[in-house]
Amino acid sequence: MSRDYVIEPFRSEINLQIDYARELNPQQLAAVTAPPGPALVIAGAGSGKTRTLTYRVAYLLEQGVPADRILLLTFTNKAAGEMMHRVAGLLGRQLPSLWGGTFHSIGARVLRSHADLLGYRRDFTILDRDDAKDLIKTCIAEAGIETKGTHFPKPDVLCEIFSLSVNTHKSTAEMLKDQFDYFEQITRQVADVQKRYTARKRATNAMDFDDLLALWLRLLQEHADVREHYQRRFQFILVDEYQDTNKLQSDLIDLLAERHHNVTVVGDDAQSIYAWRGANFQNIFKFPKRYPDAKVFKIETNYRSTPEILKVANAAIAANTEQFTKELAPARKSGLKPALVTCADAAQQAAFIAQRVAELPEEGVNLNQVAVLYRSHFHALELQLELTKRNIPFSITSGIRFFEQAHIKDATAYLKLVANPQDELAFKRVAQLLPGIGAKGAGKIWKIFSAKMESFASSVPNNSPLTRSRTAVTTLSPPGGERDGARGARQVLATALSSCAKSVPQKAAMAWKQFAETISQLEDETVRQSAAKMLRIVMDAGYDDYLKENFANYRNRLEDLEQLAVFAFQFGSVEDFLTQLALLTNVEAEDGDAANRDADRIRLSTIHQAKGLEFDVVFVIMLCDGLFPSGRSMETDEGEEEERRLFYVAITRAKNELYLCYPQERASFSKSGGDTMQQPSRFLSEIPRDLLNEWNLR
């Protein structure tokens, strides 16, 4: 037993006698058996990161380190459970005294013992997201802030602002300036709500999830005896996925490790892709500067991908200036060269993928081992349509299903209402977007509105085909309308809405007038035949402001709607567009069924959602400048480097086959519409052409 490992006397009951040299490769072995002290383990994609961590825990136990003196920190409950399960498997028994779990679970455990030092009782309540939103809503009312008609952020958005502020150690003013500049003019009011929210939580003996970390850190900073207790206790600290830590988490780790400096952090700087949610790339990149005596271990043997895929991955990340240089080395035999597929447009890209996917089962590839990866939700719209037409089963794991997202359903509800004024659900959905109108109020107004529409329909002669097709009621002329029926025929829906104005709450009066005017524009015959034009009008008529108030990721959602309008160009009528949306939504809804999730179907996913997964065959699509990398990311060097890391993550998901695809033309989001030429992603030009098979489908 090394004397360096045991800080306090302890007789080990662990006698594993693991043959580490036989079970680990030389790079893993070096990291697992490292002497005490700070260590940074750069574990490349597919190199056995989890294996290295669990064997490190086993090695520490064998060296005589008490289990309750080890702290193992992870990011998700799933990762924590898997890690603890693997450790138990190596030991042959459970080890309940080992401190292992997520940052938040460990924080809660510490605070349960010391909350009274911070002015809380130890039986404090932990608020979930809905609880936090309700409390913030109370604080807004208490502050006397008028939110109706002032574009003040909703509680859900404030939750996100406050959370990012806490986790990045930035003030509210700094956070608004950096990421929510459209709210800068109300900085004082937002800061006031945050102050009231903090006071309310203390008064009600409640903490939210961010408090579990922020108050844990404060506890250690302000109470020397508690700090010393945990610094002595945790002789060895191990951190998983260190590249994803934020400033708050990094400070916690550094403070806990201040006494012994026995901190081992494991991660891959080349897979740091979560800056948008507060992760700080500099934590891992500058670890050797914060710990000058740290040993850096690189685990570069990749067990996942073929040599050909790894050559492309190494080339793809090489251009990043801020990185720990490494070279993924293959453990597998040679395979196919990755393909660079040039397509005429998005439709041809979709057709190519669908055709190739249809061939794979004949080659012995199960569809559930095939993935199509993309930068953003909307990149896969054409592909979803093509797969649906060909009856190729697919599932979507890009977070919330695209067509089921609130902002997509909101915008298309306007179109549904114009296409079918008898659509009660569409009417109520749009009505409830307006201030002061809830579900009950929308129901009352719907009854008045539908009666008005019925009255218009009854004024048409019985032999009119329009009375036999009430869904075509938008072509009717309202009583007293223009005699020739021209303008009146286009404005019946707007007229009916205007006639309901007296039944609308006073606080919604102006918004209702705007609603009627928007519908009037949508009914115009020059607009009514184009779903793309209709979607643009909806966005320009105030829905843009609604997004700012209600969603923290406003810019992403606005981009979704812009690209939905681009997608809509290909349809001959609004009805065709809505029909396809319904079909695609139905396909996506099936994915929510547990029995279907394991069925043989290809996976469509954002790259962020696919991190940590692997597939036999991977298609990466829409590799065009402005799409991948995204337009906003190209504004800064840091943004572009993170996008390059995202590209690297996509490539390293592939085990056997990799296809890098891009269209040369795509419909544009402009008033005139039409196609625009696309520039291939700058990342593609960084890969030597001799590493790729070039397929030109133009």
Side-chain angles (χ1 to χ4, degrees):
M1 181 189 303
S2 170
R3 64 179 178 82
D4 294 325
Y5 274 93
V6 183
I7 309 301
E8 299 175 5
F10 177 79
R11 177 169 294 181
S12 176
E13 298 178 0
I14 304 297
N15 185 21
L16 300 177
Q17 297 183 337
I18 297 173
D19 188 345
Y20 293 96
R22 183 177 65 85
E23 299 192 25
L24 302 168
N25 68 39
Q27 292 178 331
Q28 293 171 335
L29 179 64
V32 165
T33 60
L40 170 61
V41 181
I42 302 297
S47 66
K49 171 181 63 67
T50 302
R51 184 178 184 84
T52 302
L53 261 178
T54 52
Y55 273 80
R56 175 64 174 170
V57 173
Y59 183 77
L60 291 175
L61 294 169
E62 262 197 340
Q63 296 301 307
V65 179
D68 65 351
R69 302 305 172 90
I70 299 173
L71 174 63
L72 177 60
L73 291 167
T74 64
F75 270 86
T76 66
N77 290 320
K78 180 180 178 181
E82 180 183 1
M83 204 80 72
M84 299 297 280
H85 176 74
R86 290 199 189 189
V87 171
L90 280 177
L91 300 178
R93 61 186 175 90
Q94 297 292 331
L95 210 65
S97 58
L98 175 66
W99 282 57
T102 65
F103 280 87
H104 293 89
S105 67
I106 299 299
R109 185 173 176 180
V110 171
L111 289 170
R112 288 293 181 198
S113 299
H114 308 283
D116 52 308
L117 296 176
L118 298 173
Y120 284 84
R121 296 194 311 275
R122 297 186 184 187
D123 61 347
F124 60 83
T125 299
I126 299 176
L127 304 175
D128 62 21
R129 184 77 174 204
D130 286 339
D131 295 332
K133 285 162 51 180
D134 288 342
L135 192 56
I136 289 174
K137 187 176 181 180
T138 299
C139 294
I140 294 172
E142 181 183 76
I145 297 173
E146 178 54 56
T147 61
K148 306 304 181 184
T150 61
H151 304 311
F152 194 80
K154 295 296 189 291
D156 200 29
V157 177
L158 290 174
C159 265
E160 188 68 17
I161 293 171
F162 298 163
S163 178
L164 285 170
S165 173
V166 168
N167 284 286
T168 59
H169 284 348
K170 290 184 178 181
S171 68
T172 304
E174 289 174 318
M175 185 52 57
L176 291 177
K177 183 179 181 180
D178 289 349
Q179 294 192 37
F180 302 87
D181 54 298
Y182 41 87
F183 288 136
E184 270 196 279
Q185 73 278 9
I186 55 171
T187 295
R188 184 185 59 79
Q189 290 174 297
V190 172
D192 180 47
V193 172
Q194 186 177 31
K195 183 178 179 180
R196 292 173 184 274
Y197 175 56
T198 300
R200 278 270 184 173
K201 285 186 291 183
R202 184 186 295 274
T204 56
N205 195 40
M207 299 181 190
D208 61 24
F209 268 61
D210 298 313
D211 291 327
L212 298 179
L213 302 187
L215 293 179
W216 179 15
L217 179 60
R218 181 180 158 195
L219 175 72
L220 298 179
Q221 290 172 331
E222 296 181 358
H223 298 274
D225 55 335
V226 177
R227 179 172 66 250
E228 185 174 355
H229 169 75
Y230 285 104
Q231 286 176 344
R232 285 182 177 275
R233 175 166 200 143
F234 298 132
Q235 296 176 13
F236 288 86
I237 301 170
L238 297 90
V239 186
D240 187 23
E241 301 286 9
Y242 188 67
Q243 78 279 349
D244 294 335
T245 54
N246 58 39
K247 185 66 169 65
L248 176 53
Q249 291 161 333
S250 176
D251 287 353
L252 269 168
I253 295 163
D254 289 348
L255 191 54
L256 286 169
E258 195 173 68
R259 181 180 181 85
H260 298 308
H261 283 205
N262 294 328
V263 56
T264 299
V265 298
V266 182
D268 183 5
D269 59 296
Q271 297 187 71
S272 179
I273 58 174
Y274 294 113
W276 53 275
R277 68 183 191 194
N280 190 340
F281 170 78
Q282 296 300 325
N283 289 346
I284 190 168
F285 187 63
K286 293 186 176 179
F287 185 86
K289 292 184 179 180
R290 298 204 313 280
Y291 294 87
D293 56 339
K295 288 181 168 55
V296 179
F297 300 91
K298 295 181 181 179
I299 305 177
E300 299 168 295
T301 302
N302 177 286
Y303 295 92
R304 176 185 299 155
S305 306
T306 62
E308 289 76 10
I309 292 173
L310 294 184
K311 287 178 182 178
V312 171
N314 289 329
I317 198 65
N320 270 10
T321 57
E322 288 198 325
Q323 65 168 308
F324 293 101
T325 304
K326 58 182 172 296
E327 193 83 5
L328 293 179
R332 294 184 54 198
K333 294 180 180 179
S334 186
L336 298 172
K337 274 188 180 182
L340 174 60
V341 185
T342 304
C343 305
D345 52 27
Q348 188 179 56
Q349 178 181 251
F352 160 72
I353 294 171
Q355 181 59 39
R356 182 69 189 116
V357 167
E359 297 166 354
L360 289 172
E362 299 176 7
E363 300 171 15
V365 179
N366 292 328
L367 290 187
N368 57 18
Q369 283 300 309
V370 180
V372 180
L373 306 181
Y374 36 82
R375 174 65 181 81
S376 301
H377 292 296
F378 61 81
H379 291 178
L381 295 181
E382 291 87 357
L383 178 59
Q384 290 181 50
L385 184 61
E386 185 68 23
L387 294 174
T388 302
K389 288 178 179 177
R390 299 197 188 201
N391 292 316
I392 296 176
F394 64 93
S395 62
I396 301 174
T397 55
S398 306
I400 300 173
R401 296 184 296 272
F402 184 85
F403 294 109
E404 286 297 302
Q405 293 178 105
H407 59 299
I408 301 298
K409 297 185 74 172
D410 289 345
T412 54
Y414 282 87
L415 277 63
K416 289 180 179 180
L417 183 60
V418 172
N420 175 18
Q422 292 179 309
D423 190 330
E424 181 177 353
L425 294 178
F427 178 92
K428 290 180 177 178
R429 186 175 190 94
V430 176
Q432 289 181 73
L433 296 177
L434 309 182
I437 300 180
K440 188 175 181 180
K444 290 181 178 179
I445 301 171
W446 162 254
K447 291 181 180 179
I448 298 170
F449 168 78
S450 56
K452 295 284 187 183
M453 296 301 293
E454 188 69 24
S455 173
F456 291 168
S458 64
S459 67
V460 177
N462 289 335
N463 62 352
S464 168
L466 300 180
T467 59
R468 297 193 297 270
S469 178
R470 297 297 174 87
T471 59
V473 73
T474 51
T475 62
L476 299 176
S477 299
E482 297 176 64
R483 291 301 177 186
D484 62 4
R487 176 171 172 78
R490 294 195 304 269
Q491 303 299 320
V492 61
L493 185 53
T495 302
L497 289 171
S498 297
S499 66
C500 296
K502 293 182 180 179
S503 304
V504 173
Q506 183 59 38
K507 63 179 64 174
M510 289 301 296
W512 189 267
K513 182 179 179 181
Q514 174 65 55
F515 173 32
E517 290 175 354
T518 300
I519 292 297
S520 175
Q521 294 177 57
L522 297 178
E523 286 184 289
D524 188 284
E525 63 183 12
T526 62
V527 174
R528 173 67 175 78
Q529 299 305 314
S530 170
K533 291 181 180 178
M534 294 178 76
L535 286 168
R536 284 199 187 88
I537 288 174
V538 171
M539 284 184 278
D540 292 341
Y543 192 70
D544 178 280
D545 290 330
Y546 179 85
L547 288 177
K548 290 176 182 176
E549 297 167 34
N550 288 273
F551 301 110
N553 59 344
Y554 148 72
R555 291 185 176 90
N556 289 340
R557 291 181 185 254
L558 181 62
E559 187 176 28
D560 281 348
L561 291 173
E562 290 172 347
Q563 295 302 323
L564 182 65
V566 169
F567 177 67
F569 269 117
Q570 64 188 285
F571 299 99
S573 69
V574 174
E575 286 74 17
D576 287 345
F577 172 70
L578 293 174
T579 297
Q580 288 301 326
L581 252 61
L583 293 174
L584 290 171
T585 301
N586 185 58
V587 170
E588 291 185 343
E590 292 175 359
D591 181 43
D593 183 81
N596 284 323
R597 283 199 291 270
D598 296 326
D600 197 20
R601 53 182 63 202
I602 70 170
R603 185 86 62 93
L604 273 55
S605 176
T606 61
I607 302 165
H608 285 101
Q609 289 285 328
K611 184 174 178 289
L613 303 178
E614 59 182 37
F615 304 91
D616 287 342
V617 181
V618 168
F619 299 85
V620 186
I621 65 173
M622 290 298 176
L623 283 164
C624 307
D625 263 7
L627 295 177
F628 192 1
S630 69
R632 286 198 303 274
S633 71
M634 294 189 293
E635 296 172 0
T636 64
D637 291 340
E638 295 81 2
E640 185 173 317
E641 292 216 345
E642 174 147 331
E643 291 286 293
R644 191 175 284 107
R645 295 194 292 269
L646 190 63
F647 183 44
Y648 174 83
V649 168
I651 292 170
T652 54
R653 299 312 94 197
K655 295 164 65 176
N656 302 326
E657 295 183 35
L658 173 66
Y659 299 87
L660 306 176
C661 312
Y662 76 93
Q664 288 193 314
E665 291 185 351
R666 195 160 191 258
S668 65
F669 185 74
S670 62
K671 291 183 178 180
S672 58
D675 293 336
T676 58
M677 294 298 296
Q678 300 289 317
Q679 289 297 319
S681 171
R682 60 194 60 194
F683 300 153
L684 294 175
S685 66
E686 297 166 355
I687 301 172
R689 284 298 184 263
D690 63 334
L691 300 182
L692 301 168
N693 274 328
E694 296 193 54
W695 297 6
N696 194 329
L697 306 184
R698 293 170 295 175

